[in-house]
Amino acid sequence: MTLQTRIDRLKTGSAKVGCLLNPMGGQTRKRRPAIRQALDEIPAIIVCEATDANTFKTAINQLIQADIDLLVIIAGDGTTHAILSHLFTALPLTDWPILMIIPGGTTNMTALDIGIQDKPEQALQRLRDYLSKPAAPRLVQRSALRIEQTGIDSIYGMFFAVGLVARGVKFSRSSVKQLGITGGIFTCMIMFRSLVGMLVGMALGHRQSEWAPVRMIMTEENGQIHQGTYVFALVSALDCLLLNIRPYWGQEPAPLHVTLVDHRRKRLWRSLWPLLSGGGQVLQEKDGYYSHNTHSLTLQMDDEYIVDGELYRSVHSHEPLRITATGPVIFLVL
């Protein structure tokens, strides 16, 4: 079925709607009764609950077989990452349902970047109202990242990072996450702990492996090579991260945003605000700050990395990670 057919069905109120709910998501656990009530108010919606990789696959396969036009995902970034990975494996992008991501997790960068900032039950009420009085849908497109390396299955997601960012996420998966804190407060805690880790690493000459910078070689699609030790590096298909952070400033017309911060960077504290706020044009590569947009790149490293909050490790430094942009994924925003 073509995308235009699915759009036409949304316009006429004949779209078939499926929902995947992760009841263990940080936001969902707190608001589950209200979410279930809101789902009950949407006629004929097919709801599947899933909590891990295997049940995500089973639920998505069930919804695909039901020939849904709109897939509503009530979950956080980790679950969305798992669903995207399975959809890319199971279906050509042209056969996908339209997606609607509702923030139901501990972190919800994808949903917030696309433009859904309501509480889960509020977003579902908007969907109920739209389906009862359909109109031309507002759609948003985002490419995803495809991460490939010899010896592993392809990984798909919206945000990739190494170095300080990956160390902070690894820390967050420890006892901190068990506190039940979500959203901006949780993100602030992780950012603060990451900065403390960086300062400790600087004091110890980066000998503390837990917060050490990452050594890597990055090769751009035009052949330009960046080699060194970096406080962090990130590749993102999202325009905006949590807390409205925009840590990239490339001007190239390409879907993937890339930023590197060298461990020998200058004037760190003076550079933090432009680095995080999208004003990085004032930062110079000669001072250790670099950002550009691209369609693809390769990374050679032997270290951990994250994709949408999920932790991975490169297979070997001699086998490069290849990161490319997929075709556009279509999201519904209400």
Side-chain angles (χ1 to χ4, degrees):
M1 186 182 303
T2 66
L3 172 62
Q4 188 57 54
T5 301
R6 301 194 189 282
I7 293 173
D8 291 341
R9 289 185 177 182
L10 283 173
K11 287 180 180 179
T12 60
S14 59
K16 185 178 290 187
V17 182
C19 173
L20 191 147
L21 169 69
N22 181 357
M24 302 306 295
Q27 287 285 347
T28 307
R29 286 199 309 269
K30 298 177 179 180
R31 318 182 74 85
R32 190 171 180 181
I35 291 171
R36 290 301 317 189
Q37 180 178 344
L39 284 169
D40 290 342
E41 295 173 358
I42 300 176
I45 189 171
I46 305 170
V47 180
C48 297
E49 292 195 9
T51 58
D52 57 37
N54 288 330
T55 54
F56 293 152
K57 291 179 181 179
T58 300
I60 290 300
N61 290 340
Q62 179 182 339
L63 293 170
I64 289 172
Q65 290 171 6
D67 195 26
I68 59 171
D69 300 294
L70 175 65
L71 172 58
V72 180
I73 301 170
I74 308 175
D77 292 325
T79 299
T80 301
H81 158 61
I83 293 169
L84 288 174
S85 291
H86 183 59
L87 281 172
F88 274 109
T89 302
L91 286 176
L93 190 55
T94 52
D95 293 341
W96 282 30
I98 296 168
L99 304 185
M100 180 179 181
I101 312 295
I102 292 179
T106 300
T107 59
N108 303 281
M109 286 196 300
T110 300
L112 296 175
D113 177 69
I114 291 167
I116 299 182
Q117 303 184 19
D118 295 326
K119 300 296 183 185
E121 66 273 20
Q122 295 171 337
L124 288 169
Q125 289 161 3
R126 288 179 181 270
L127 176 61
R128 176 203 63 198
D129 294 343
Y130 170 78
L131 294 173
S132 66
K133 296 180 180 179
R138 178 190 169 199
L139 302 176
V140 172
Q141 297 185 8
R142 290 285 186 279
S143 293
L145 313 174
R146 179 189 294 110
I147 300 105
E148 301 170 289
Q149 188 174 36
T150 302
I152 65 171
D153 294 333
S154 295
I155 299 168
Y156 296 86
M158 306 301 288
F159 178 79
F160 169 99
V162 295
L164 189 66
V165 180
R167 315 289 189 228
V169 169
K170 184 177 182 179
F171 167 74
S172 76
R173 296 177 66 86
S174 63
S175 57
V176 176
K177 194 169 184 178
Q178 307 308 315
L179 297 175
I181 300 172
T182 61
I185 297 176
F186 180 81
T187 305
C188 287
M189 289 179 61
I190 301 310
M191 289 180 61
F192 176 76
R193 181 63 181 87
S194 298
L195 287 172
V196 171
M198 181 179 67
L199 292 174
V200 171
M202 291 168 60
L204 297 176
H206 298 300
R207 293 188 300 272
Q208 190 188 43
S209 60
E210 181 182 3
W211 294 93
V214 59
R215 296 180 180 179
M216 68 177 205
I217 303 171
M218 185 186 82
T219 304
E220 300 183 46
E221 60 184 334
N222 62 6
Q224 184 175 351
I225 296 175
H226 302 265
Q227 179 173 359
T229 303
Y230 299 93
V231 174
F232 71 82
L234 63 85
V235 185
S236 176
L238 303 174
D239 291 338
C240 181
L241 308 182
L242 291 174
L243 303 178
N244 205 34
I245 293 172
R246 300 171 185 268
Y248 25 73
W249 52 94
Q251 300 298 311
E252 300 81 6
L256 303 185
H257 310 301
V258 181
T259 297
L260 305 175
V261 176
D262 195 284
H263 81 292
R264 295 168 298 182
R265 76 269 159 223
K266 298 179 181 178
R267 298 181 290 275
L268 173 64
W269 300 112
R270 189 187 306 174
S271 302
L272 275 180
W273 176 248
L275 177 64
L276 298 178
S277 66
Q281 295 88 347
V282 300
L283 303 176
Q284 301 294 318
E285 184 176 0
K286 63 182 177 62
D287 294 328
Y289 304 92
Y290 178 74
S291 187
H292 76 289
N293 300 329
T294 187
H295 291 91
S296 65
L297 57 90
T298 62
L299 294 175
Q300 288 178 259
M301 63 179 192
D302 184 10
D303 210 320
E304 295 172 320
Y305 63 91
I306 61 159
V307 181
D308 295 344
E310 299 300 310
L311 195 63
Y312 298 90
R313 186 173 184 92
S314 58
V315 176
H316 198 283
S317 59
H318 297 303
E319 289 288 347
L321 287 171
R322 296 171 293 278
I323 303 178
T324 56
T326 70
V329 179
I330 310 300
F331 298 92
L332 174 67
V333 180
L334 299 175

